[in-house]
Amino acid sequence: MIRTQKVKSKALKTISMVLVLTMALFVISPAVSVSAATGNALNSENETIYYVDDDYAEAIGALPDGYNTSFQFSLSGTYNTIKWSVSRGNTVTISENGLVEPVIETWYWYNTGNGYSIGMTTKQDGKEPDKITHKYKSGESTICCTADGKKYYATVNVSDYSDIYVQNEINNFLSEKINDSMSTYDKVNAICKYVAGFNYDYHYSSYKAMVICKGGDCWASSYLILHLCDKLGINAKLRYAAHDSGAGSGHRNVIVDVDGEIYVADAGYYTSAPRYYVFQKFNDGYSLKSTNGGYSIYQYDGFDQDVTIPSSINGKNITAISDLAFYYGSPKPTSIYIPKTITSISDQALSFVSTLQKVTVSADNPNYCDINGVVYTKDKSTMIALPGAYEGKYKIADGTKTIGSYAVFGVDNLTDVFVPNGVTTINANGIVYSDKLETISLPPTVTTLGEKAFFKNNNLKSIYIPDSVTSIGDSIVNKNTVIYGGKGSAAEKYANENECSFVETKLGDANLDGNLTIADTSKIQRYIAQFDSSLDKMQLQLADYNHDGVVDIHDATDIQRTLAGIK
């Protein structure tokens, strides 16, 4: 009994010594832990998982081997605790066991009753959706594994398998139907035939959808032609084709550069496969309509930015340019040459071309000319078009009587426009959509302002309308523009009827007190001598009494002569 106790006592002492030594070791070396994870490694540090959106899942079917839709992460070695999380990105989720999958966003679709459906990511209470779809997010995320306080990271890329599917299909076509011995023409013709081999289906408007679902509309057809041309290094671009005879309101086709010659490719016809397609030369990029024995240009889709309009095409003269002829093409022109044969230029023929720096008109043209790149009628009485890329201040040519409709349209960097003496009429929409214009002063020769003459110059703060103006159309300025003019004038009447602010003044009223006095000459003289810099833009416009575009001593002298009754 006593022996047994001694043995136990000795054993207890031994155990106690071990515990003391162990605790001492822990205290002396806190970085060493018997419970810390050791010999650990993730089974992968970089993985890609794939998804297919609902729209294409049925058409594509099961993904082939090697294209996993999830991945099971694991950590080798020993550890006591482990936690999985997503530390960066929003494209994946990871379970508590390390299974990573794409984030799925659920969309609930409800019929609006007018043939359309509206989708939302939250389900409406008490209402069953007509359709439920799922969306995924492509891109990288980082997952983190924390084992006994130590962190291990891996990158997961989420990729759309449908993109791979489409490129495989396209590459198969290229390898089977295209070879280096073929001419550019033969390659593009083969592309058109391939695209026309899909059905017309208005549900699909991308080349991706067309390849997967075996059908698409004119947009899908055009985009597929573009994509294939791009892969072969052939220069091509999308064309707005809704103005073509018989075309639908949103029709698109493709312009192709075939060894320096312009062709049009169109495989978007409404029928079942194999569909009719067009691939033919395209009048150097000019879309034409017959008019009075010649042609009118209604659209330009060439590749040149320095555009020289030919005198004739296919033996018929080019005689007219229609509205928006250079608006729809891309790239838009920087210069345009107009030949002598063109006798009609529509009001908006050169509008919406913000890149246009100058227009040159043949000296032999009977109806038009250019003055330093700006288009006027041949007799220089009517201004036709200021190029959209013009910058700074523009002085309308002396001798001009009429500013034509859309003569100044969308000239974004036009800071000032000077309307000279002699101008009598500013037609409807004459100076519009030029947002850097702040102040305009009209000369005492103007009598008529057409409808919306200065409309949508969104930063036009003020305009001076002289008493000579007797006819003013509707909506000549935005309502936030302050109108300056004489008491009882047509300008005052317009301002009152259209809720515009009105300031009574007259030409020469530099101090804006509503009167023409010697005080105005004094203010002008002090400004000229640089003693007074307080004149704002409208005061400077009014101070230019002789309306020659310059405030100088002549203005002060002319005011004094007027006050003295001397003409």
Side-chain angles (χ1 to χ4, degrees), residues 296-297 309 319-323 325-326 336 338 342 344-346 349-350:
S296 175
I297 298 169
I309 299 174
T319 60
I321 307 175
S322 300
D323 283 338
F326 298 94
I336 297 173
I338 296 175
I342 289 181
S344 174
I345 299 176
S346 296
L350 303 174

Side-chain angles (χ1 to χ4, degrees), residues 106-110 118-124:
T106 301
W107 282 75
Y108 303 93
W109 296 87
Y110 299 91
I118 185 171
M120 53 190 65
T121 55
T122 56
K123 190 175 181 180
Q124 290 186 356

Side-chain angles (χ1 to χ4, degrees), residues 271-296:
T271 184
S272 299
R275 293 178 291 151
Y276 171 76
Y277 70 88
V278 168
F279 180 52
Q280 61 188 22
K281 288 185 179 181
F282 192 60
N283 300 324
D284 295 328
Y286 294 95
S287 298
L288 307 170
K289 289 183 179 179
S290 293
T291 174
N292 298 325
Y295 283 133
S296 175

Side-chain angles (χ1 to χ4, degrees), residues 349-563:
L350 303 174
S351 296
F352 291 103
V353 190
S354 60
T355 56
L356 186 60
Q357 299 171 10
K358 68 174 182 177
V359 180
T360 303
V361 181
S362 168
D364 296 325
N365 190 294
N367 291 359
Y368 301 99
C369 70
D370 74 274
I371 301 175
N372 297 321
V374 182
V375 183
Y376 287 81
T377 53
K378 187 70 170 183
D379 61 4
K380 302 179 183 177
S381 65
T382 301
M383 179 182 175
I384 301 298
L386 179 70
Y390 190 92
E391 297 183 0
K393 179 178 180 177
Y394 181 67
K395 182 181 184 299
I396 293 171
D398 291 334
T400 301
K401 295 180 180 179
T402 301
I403 297 174
S405 293
Y406 304 98
V408 179
F409 184 98
V411 187
D412 293 337
N413 291 309
L414 177 68
T415 57
D416 191 12
V417 58
F418 179 77
V419 182
N421 282 313
V423 171
T424 62
T425 303
I426 299 176
N427 284 347
N429 299 288
I431 301 174
V432 292
Y433 290 92
S434 300
D435 285 348
K436 286 189 178 180
L437 288 177
E438 294 184 2
T439 302
I440 294 175
S441 176
L442 302 179
T445 55
V446 175
T447 61
T448 303
L449 300 178
E451 181 181 4
K452 298 182 179 179
F454 305 98
F455 193 62
K456 289 294 183 181
N457 295 305
N458 291 321
N459 290 304
L460 186 64
K461 297 179 176 64
S462 57
I463 183 171
Y464 171 69
I465 300 175
D467 293 350
S468 58
V469 173
T470 57
S471 175
I472 300 179
D474 294 336
S475 306
I476 61 163
V477 293
N478 295 353
K479 287 190 174 183
N480 61 346
T481 301
V482 179
I483 297 175
Y484 290 72
K487 183 176 178 61
S489 65
E492 182 179 24
K493 181 182 178 183
Y494 174 88
N496 292 336
E497 292 177 351
N498 291 274
E499 301 178 355
C500 293
S501 297
F502 181 77
V503 176
E504 183 183 336
T505 188
K506 59 184 64 179
L507 196 60
D509 183 15
N511 62 9
L512 281 178
D513 66 355
N515 300 301
L516 188 64
T517 67
I518 199 66
D520 296 305
T521 65
S522 296
K523 195 166 187 68
I524 292 171
Q525 288 167 342
R526 289 178 60 82
Y527 169 77
I528 295 169
Q530 299 183 352
F531 292 146
D532 187 348
S533 59
S534 64
L535 277 70
D536 63 21
K537 287 188 174 183
M538 178 50 73
Q539 287 177 286
L540 287 172
Q541 300 267 17
L542 294 172
D544 182 16
Y545 186 65
N546 61 13
H547 205 78
D548 64 354
V550 180
V551 177
D552 56 21
I553 195 63
H554 298 293
D555 297 302
T557 301
D558 286 348
I559 291 173
Q560 290 172 337
R561 291 172 62 85
T562 297
L563 293 173

